[in-house]
Every structure is written in structure tokens, then in C-alpha cells.
């Protein structure tokens, strides 16, 4: 099917997707890797898909959710990848009449760098391989669903699009109840990046039941310019007569799905816990309906993984990460020491910047790995959105590929060949662009520069780029070289009157002059009066920032002030990942206190505050992971000083249960527990109950923590708990993961921890005698 045909269908009526596969096979008595059914018992898959067709589904998904090479390898079926995927398409095709078949793809189960070990290129190849098989087998489209990492989703989208420009593509993420993914990406950041990327439909699925997902979907509907799809769960699972059941009845589900249609959904279906009965009631209740028109917020944003910054008031771009003329910073970057870059990034955020410009100086001294690693480090430290001041096109593409969010290309000439190369990157990776009012040489007059702006605008429009994603730079030249600053002011005025946006590189004006800050401040105020929308500037100049604030105030505008939620210098150091500064603090404290006091009364208390910040949504998972990694060496150092009397809060054994190969959450819990003073034995994923028992006898832990991500494997938690009790293993049992909930934990006789911070809290209470 062609994309144009699919999009026309979406304009005509709301389409119905099918329901769950894993939980439905589980309900029908089949366990293990359900994708194996495609080759071992295809009639079972055929029967379920026939049920979904009879229930009224317009789109069937292939039974290939976990059929990428990485997941199949973890289960020992890597060699069957082609057969499993190919057969899945054949089975779905065999039951379809006029329904569509979409190839189903999902996460590899591992974090992409910087939070995991797998690289962007590796995960891209994994998705490309699976998509290639599905497309060759004849799917009508591809759906990528249940993704919690925006970077991994981006890799999957690019992989599919590099195989086919004409196959319909649906991209989903899964969010927590607060509208953020576990990696800290908000639904708004997801929506605004997807507006740029080459996908046909965006949506949300899994993790939440319909009533929890409604508000998140409403936010998506406001920010997304693409058609929308949604697949909620049928509630949280609970144990009934030894089997997992779900609370949301087909009738309740149908009523909620009608609400999604009212909010603007184009495709509706079900995720975990839904079955043919839910789809049947839903299709009858909703019937044939035209999609609703939506009111979409028409504002442009820049974003990183966790920061979304509107640009409508004024875009302040920090200029201080510029290695040109800074020998120390240039040397650090060459040696792949990005500590200076990170410090400058964090300082500029506190100074009030909206984005940070990165210019690594002499690029011929660098390789692509320098740009790749710099972007990964900035991502890990949750920096502001990035402006890519990178001249080499290959280096620029490496940085944009690795970047998570919506960045800014700085910059392109108005010359067609140069501009089109950057437009192509903009269309592939998303973001905004600055275009200089020059081709090879800088025109002397304002009118000549403005004509180049208009020429560039036509090229941009001809290539499908909306002009509200573009800033035009009128060019600021040094007044010390007898350049007339009035030319720049006049071009800004012309750009403004043409309804376009302008941006300048401010500091160039005062190059070689005394009192640069005074000159910069005065000129910036004049530029704002003429309609300037953005500036790359030195945010450390208080006079310049004050003049900007004052000039905007005269226009009735106000810059959003930076709010420091930390209010604690030590917490600030830890969250920013400043290991060296933290060790300096520890050394100073050791002059007055013993190691035990510093460990338990200073560092542990700081981590407790960080846990609270995470729990109340003031910081995100990347901050939490970075904080745990930062504080760990300080704890290790203090423990070495303590020697035999070192602090051992307790021993914890962690495992992901059998049949489940997801260990992202478990690794995060391990990191946080170690930083909290526990001795952690992580025995891996897909671990049978018998092996957990064996390791308990070997390590003699105080606590056993179990992770279950999939609803088809959550019952393993009970099996492990029952086995350990039957063997008289006296441990505190803790369980978590996407499929666990309080009710299941009560039924299994274990303690439920919703996240890593709560797990640490429960473990500490237990060793102190407060939890049972």
C-alpha cells in the first residue's frame, strides 16, 4: 500500500486496530516466546487473528513484537529470525480479506548509549534487518510501538525509512502517568520531534489503562501535526484462580475509546489485557466515524531529551562552548575530555540560555568520534537543546544522528548547494535552521543581503521546509573594522516586516574593541527594537542579559527565569556529574569528620534528597543515573578508608525473571542501590527460579529483587517467591517492573516498588527493621 492511499483512508474514517497478542496467547494457555508460534504452531496465531478480524479490526499486526535479532538471540532463536518474521506476515495475510497487515516492531530491550551499552548504529542495523524481512514479506505498513527511549525510536524510524520511502509508518512511545517516559522524555518532546521526522502516524500505547492515558493523549493531540493512534491496556493485571486477569471490561473499554475518538484519534486499538471481545464491543459501539478536527498549538520548540524550550519570546543561544582561540578547551576536546564542555553547558543554563551553541574550533584536528562522544555526554548530563555550529557536513550529520531531540543547525549559506545539503539533514533528523544572508561573500548593502534572504526562503519552501523553522542571520560585522552596524539593523527590520525570523551572532560586533560588554548590550537592545528574534551571545555578560531583558520588557515580553530546584550545593554537584568537585568536597570534610559520618550523614543524605527530587518530578531518570554514578566513587573511597569497619547496609540479589529479557529497569535499580550503600549481586535476565534459588544459597542475600517487564512473565515472580519459601530461604522479597502492581504484589506475597528510589527506600527500611 502506498502512503498516500493510507493517509486518504485516515482522512475518511477512524480505523480499528487489533488487540493484544502476548497476554491473549497467555490467557489461551501458551507460554514462552510467543513469536515462536509463527513456526511451531501457526494455526494458533491464525485463530487469534481470525478472531480479531471477526471482531471488526481494520488493521492486523504481525506476531513479531519481539522478533528482532537482539531479543531472539537472548532467547536462543537468533537463527530463526527470517522464518519467524516471514511466517508472521504469511499467517496474517492468510486470514485477511480487505484488512491491512502492519509489521509489528518494538524495543531491543536495552538502552542505547549513553544509558546503555548498545550504540545507535548497532540498534539501527537491528531494526533495519527486521523491517527488511517484514517489507519483503509483503506488509502494508510498519508500526513501531512500546518504545520508552526516544533515541531508540529515532533509530528504528530511520532504519525503516532507509528501506522504503513509500511504506506507511506508525511510531508509538509509552509513557508513565505523568506524561513522561522512563527516560524523562515528555509527550510534548516526542510530538514535536515526530512533527519533523518522516512518519505518517504517531501515538501512545501500553503501560496505562484508558482513563490514565486520556490526559496524555490529549496533550499529544495538542502538539502533534500528524494523524494519531492509541492502544491502552485493559487495566493492571491481577491474579484470579491462578490466572492473570484485567479489570477493564470490554464495555468500559469501548466507552473510553470513544473519548479518544472525540480527542482526535485516527486509529484505535488495544494493548496488554485486551482481546477480541474488547475489539468487538469497541467496533460496534463506535461504528463508522470521521476523525475529529483538532486544535494544534502553533509554536516552534527546541528540545533535548528532557528539555522543551519554546522559541516564541526570544531564543538565547549561549556562545561560550567555542574552542576557537581557547587553547585549553581545544586541547581537552582533542583528547576527548569533555569536562570543560559540560561545565560551560551547565553554567550557561544557569545564566538563562535557551540553547547552547557548540563550536569545537579547528575541525581538521578532530574525527567523527569527537562529535559523537560530545553529544552522548551532553545527553547524559541532560543539557539544554544544542545549536550545531559545525562546518564539516559529515561531522554535522554524526552529531545530529546521535542527538536526542530537536536541535538547531548553525548555519547554512544562502547558496543553493550549501543550503540544500543542510535542508536534507533537517528533514532527516528534525530541528531548526539558521541561514546566513550571504553566498560566498558578504553583500555590503542591506537590500542585497535581504534579497539573499528572500532567495533562500524560496529554496526552503521549494524543499518543503516551513519558514517558521528557520532564522535568517543578517550578519554582524566588527565595528572596529569600520563596518556600519546600521546595515545589520536595517536587514533585521526588513526580515521582520517580511514575517520571517532573525538571529545574530552578537559578539562579533565588538571584536577587538574595549568595553565589549557595553557595546554588545547597547546594540542588542537596538536589534530587539528592530524585531530581532534570537541571538548567539555571551550569557556571562550581566549587562548584555540585562539589556535584553529590558528591551523585551518594553515590548511586553518576558524571558522565563531559570528556577534552581536544587537549593543544595552538594546535591547540585552530584546531579551535574562533577566527580572531581565531589571528591574535593569529601577531602575537605575529612579534615573535620570521620569517613563514617561523611558516608552516612552527608552523601547518603544528599542521595536521599536526590531521590525526593526524582519522586516529585523535579529531575528525571538521566539525572538519577548520573547522580548514582557520580557518588559511587566517593562511597568506594570512604569505604576503603573504613577498611573492615566499612558500611554494609546489606546484600541484595537482583534478577529479571525467566522468559523476560528486559533488564533496563533492573540495572537502574542496581546502580541506585549500590550508591545507597548496598552490596548488589546482579545475576542477569531471563533467570529461572531454580537458578535464583541456587544463587541465594551461594550469596546468602538479605534481599532478593525481581524484575518483570512483560505481562506474560509476571507470574514468574510468584513462582520464585513460592520456591524460595518452600526451600526456607529467609529473604525480603521485592518486585518491580512495568507489569507489576500493588495488587499482584499482595497476591504474590512480595513488596512492590514502583521505581528505583522506592526500592532503595524499602531496602533501607528492611535492614533497619522497619519493613517486612
Amino acid at each position: 500500500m502506498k502512503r498516500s492511499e493510507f493517509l486518504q483512508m485516515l482522512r475518511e474514517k477512524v480505523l480499528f486496530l487489533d488487540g493484544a497478542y502476548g497476554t491473549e496467547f497467555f490467557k489461551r494457555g501458551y507460554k514462552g516466546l510467543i513469536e515462536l508460534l509463527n513456526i511451531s504452531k501457526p494455526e494458533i496465531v491464525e485463530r487469534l487473528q481470525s478472531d480479531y478480524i471477526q471482531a471488526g479490526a481494520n488493521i492486523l499486526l504481525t506476531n513479531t513484537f519481539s522478533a528482532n535479532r537482539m531479543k531472539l538471540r537472548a532467547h536462543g532463536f537468533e537463527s530463526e529470525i527470517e522464518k519467524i518474521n516471514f511466517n508472521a506476515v504469511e499467517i496474517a495475510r492468510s486470514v485477511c480479506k480487505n484488512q491491512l497487515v502492519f509489521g509489528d516492531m518494538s524495543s531491543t530491550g536495552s538502552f542505547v548509549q549513553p544509558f546503555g551499552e548498545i550504540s545507535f548504529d548497532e540498534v539501527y542495523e537491528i531494526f533495519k534487518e527486521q523491517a527488511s524481512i517484514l517489507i519483503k514479506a509483503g506488509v502494508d505498513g510498519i508500526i513501531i510501538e512500546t518504545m520508552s527511549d526516544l533515541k531508540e525510536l529515532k533509530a528504528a524510524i530511520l532504519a525503516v525509512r532507509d528501506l522504503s520511502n513509500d511504506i506507511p509508518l506508525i511510531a508509538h512511545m509509552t509513557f508513565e502517568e505523568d506524561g513522561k517516559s522512563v527516560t524523562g522524555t515528555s509527550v510534548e518532546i516526542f510530538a514535536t520531534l515526530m512533527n519533523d521526522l518522516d512518519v505518517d502516524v504517531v501515538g501512545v500505547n501500553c503501560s496505562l489503562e484508558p482513563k490514565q492515558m486520556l490526559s496524555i493523549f490529549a496533550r499529544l493531540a495538542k502538539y502533534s501535526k500528524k494523524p494519531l493512534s492509541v492502544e491502552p491496556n485493559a487495566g493492571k493485571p491481577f491474579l484470579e484462580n491462578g490466572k492473570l486477569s484485567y479489570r477493564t471490561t470490554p464495555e468500559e473499554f469501548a466507552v473510553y475509546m470513544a473519548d479518544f475518538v472525540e480527542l482526535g484519534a485516527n486509529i484505535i486499538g488495544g494493548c496488554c489485557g485486551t482481546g477480541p471481545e474488547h475489539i468487538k464491543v469497541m467496533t460496534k459501539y463506535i461504528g463508522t466515524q470521521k476523525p475529529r478536527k483538532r486544535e494544534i498549538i502553533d509554536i516552534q520548540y527546541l528540545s533535548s531529551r528532557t528539555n522543551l524550550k519554546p522559541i516564541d519570546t526570544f531564543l538565547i543561544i549561549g556562545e561560550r562552548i567555542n574552542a576557537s582561540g581557547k587553547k585549553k578547551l581545544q586541547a581537552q576536546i582533542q583528547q576527548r575530555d569533555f569536562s570543560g564542555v559540560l561545565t560551560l553547558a551547565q553554567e550557561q543554563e544557569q545564566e538563562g540560555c535557551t540553547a547552547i551553541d557548540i563550536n569545537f574550533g579547528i575541525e581538521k584536528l578532530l574525527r567523527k568520534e569527537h562529535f559523537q562522544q560530545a553529544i552522548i555526554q551532553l545527553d547524559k548530563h541532560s543539557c539544554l537543546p544544542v545549536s550545531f555550529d559545525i562546518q564539516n557536513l559529515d561531522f554535522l550529520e554524526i552529531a545530529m544522528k546521535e542527538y536526542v531531540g530537536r536541535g538547531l543547525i548553525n548555519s547554512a549559506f544562502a547558496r543553493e548547494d550549501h543550503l540544500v545539503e543542510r535542508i536534507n539533514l533537517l528533514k532527516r533528523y528534525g530541528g531548526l535552521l539558521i541561514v546566513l544572508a550571504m553566498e560566498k561573500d558578504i553583500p555590503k548593502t542591506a537590500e542585497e543581503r535581504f534579497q539573499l534572504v528572500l532567495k533562500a526562503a524560496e529554496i526552503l519552501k521549494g524543499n518543503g521546509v516551513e519558514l517558521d523553522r528557520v532564522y535568517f542571520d543578517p550578519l554582524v560585522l566588527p565595528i572596529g573594522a569600520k563596518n556600519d552596524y546600521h546595515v545589520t539593523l536595517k536587514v533585521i527590520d526588513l526580515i521582520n516586516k517580511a514575517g520571517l525570523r532573525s538571529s545574530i551572532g552578537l559578539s562579533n560586533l565588538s571584536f577587538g574593541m574595549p568595553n565589549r560588554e557595553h557595546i554588545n548590550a547597547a546594540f542588542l537592545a537596538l536589534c530587539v527594537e528592530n524585531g530581532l528574534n534570537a541571538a548567539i551571545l555571551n550569557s556571562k555578560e550581566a549587562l548584555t542579559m540585562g539589556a535584553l531583558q529590558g528591551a523585551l520588557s518594553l515590548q511586553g515580553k518576558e524571558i522565563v527565569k531559570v528556577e534552581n530546584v536544587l537549593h543544595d550545593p552538594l546535591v547540585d554537584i552530584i546531579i551535574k556529574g562533577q566527580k572531581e568537585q565531589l571528591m574535593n568536597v569529601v577531602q575537605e570534610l575529612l579534615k573535620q569528620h570521620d569517613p563514617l559520618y561523611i558516608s552516612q550523614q552527608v552523601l547518603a543524605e544528599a542521595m536521599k534528597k536526590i531521590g525526593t527530587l526524582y519522586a516529585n518530578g523535579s529531575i528525571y531518570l538521566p539525572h538519577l543515573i548520573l547522580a548514582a554514578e557520580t557518588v559511587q566513587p566517593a562511597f568506594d573511597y570512604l569505604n576503603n578508608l573504613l577498611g573492615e569497619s566499612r558500611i554494609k547496609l546489606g546484600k541484595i540479589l537482583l534478577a529479571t525473571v525467566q522468559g523476560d529479557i528486559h533488564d533496563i529497569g533492573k540495572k537502574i535499580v542496581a546502580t541506585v542501590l549500590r550508591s545507597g550503600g548496598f552490596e548488589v549481586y546482579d545475576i542477569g535476565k531471563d533467570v529461572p527460579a531454580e537458578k535464583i534459588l541456587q544463587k541465594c544459597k551461594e550469596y546468602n542475600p538479605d534481599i532478593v529483587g525481581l524484575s518483570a517487564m512483560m505481562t506474560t512473565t509476571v507470574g514468574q515472580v510468584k513462582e520464585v517467591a513460592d520456591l524460595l519459601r518452600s526451600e526456607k530461604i529467609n529473604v525480603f522479597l521485592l518486585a518491580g517492573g512495568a507489569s507489576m502492581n500493588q495488587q499482584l504484589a499482595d497476591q504474590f506475597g512480595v513488596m512492590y516498588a514502583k521505581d528505583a528510589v522506592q526500592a532503595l527506600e524499602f531496602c533501607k527500611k528492611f535492614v533497619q527493621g522497619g519493613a517486612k
Side-chain angles (χ1 to χ4, degrees), residues 110-232:
S110 295
F111 270 140
V112 184
Q113 294 169 341
F115 304 117
E117 295 173 0
I118 190 168
S119 71
F120 184 95
D121 290 337
E122 287 172 318
V123 79
Y124 166 90
E125 291 298 334
I126 288 168
F127 288 126
K128 192 172 183 181
E129 179 186 33
Q130 188 186 6
S132 174
I133 301 169
L134 292 168
I135 292 171
K136 284 177 184 172
V139 293
D140 295 302
I142 296 286
I143 181 170
I144 306 161
E145 58 175 352
T146 325
M147 304 292 274
S148 58
D149 180 357
L150 187 59
K151 190 171 185 177
E152 189 180 23
L153 175 61
K154 179 177 159 184
I157 290 168
L158 293 177
V160 173
R161 275 287 163 254
D162 286 346
L163 289 166
S164 170
N165 283 322
D166 205 29
I167 192 158
L169 178 57
I170 303 173
H172 280 195
M173 278 191 77
T174 185
F175 296 93
E176 304 291 300
E177 219 170 330
D178 62 358
K180 293 188 176 71
S181 73
V182 295
T183 51
T185 298
S186 70
V187 68
E188 290 84 3
I189 290 173
F190 164 62
T192 48
L193 180 61
M194 291 302 112
N195 285 340
D196 294 346
L197 299 194
D198 196 10
V199 300
D200 299 298
V201 179
V202 299
V204 293
N205 77 290
C206 207
S207 298
L208 302 174
E209 56 190 289
K211 67 180 177 183
Q212 296 170 317
M213 196 176 277
L214 269 174
S215 61
I216 294 167
F217 186 81
R219 289 161 60 182
L220 179 68
K222 282 184 181 177
Y223 284 82
S224 175
K225 298 177 181 177
K226 302 286 178 75
L228 303 178
S229 60
V230 60
E231 303 170 84

Side-chain angles (χ1 to χ4, degrees), residues 478-481 507-522 541 543:
I479 55 173
S507 298
N508 202 31
L509 177 82
S510 58
F511 183 75
M513 298 291 289
N515 299 317
R516 294 190 65 179
E517 188 170 344
H518 295 185
I519 297 170
N520 292 343
E541 294 179 349
L543 192 58

Side-chain angles (χ1 to χ4, degrees), residues 278-378:
H278 290 85
I279 304 304
K280 184 177 181 180
V281 177
M282 177 184 76
T283 55
K284 284 192 174 180
Y285 183 76
I286 292 173
T288 302
Q289 295 199 29
K290 282 187 77 71
R292 307 294 188 268
K293 287 187 178 177
R294 292 182 279 132
E295 289 189 11
I296 299 167
I297 292 175
D298 191 21
I299 297 175
Q300 290 291 343
Y301 297 85
L302 288 176
S303 65
S304 62
R305 182 190 292 271
T306 56
N307 276 294
L308 182 74
K309 297 290 184 181
I311 63 168
D312 53 334
T313 301
F314 194 89
L315 177 59
I316 305 172
I317 308 167
E319 68 171 18
R320 292 168 57 203
I321 304 177
N322 188 336
S324 302
K326 296 180 182 176
K327 290 183 179 178
K328 183 179 176 183
L329 184 61
Q330 178 86 67
Q332 280 183 341
I333 293 169
Q334 278 180 252
Q335 294 163 13
R336 300 184 195 177
D337 171 5
F338 299 105
S339 57
V341 170
L342 295 172
T343 299
L344 287 169
Q346 291 163 349
E347 286 178 359
Q348 290 177 103
E349 181 172 6
Q350 291 304 310
E351 289 161 4
C353 290
T354 321
I356 52 168
D357 192 70
I358 57 167
N359 181 327
F360 289 169
I362 306 169
E363 293 181 357
K364 66 181 181 182
L365 299 176
L366 306 175
R367 300 173 61 184
K368 67 177 185 179
E369 288 79 9
H370 289 94
F371 295 89
Q372 184 180 38
Q373 290 178 20
I375 296 299
I376 288 173
Q377 286 302 313
L378 287 167

Side-chain angles (χ1 to χ4, degrees), residues 542-559:
L543 192 58
T544 301
M545 294 295 282
L548 175 60
Q549 181 67 68
L552 291 172
S553 295
L554 290 173
Q555 297 180 352
K557 299 177 182 176
E558 186 176 1
I559 299 172

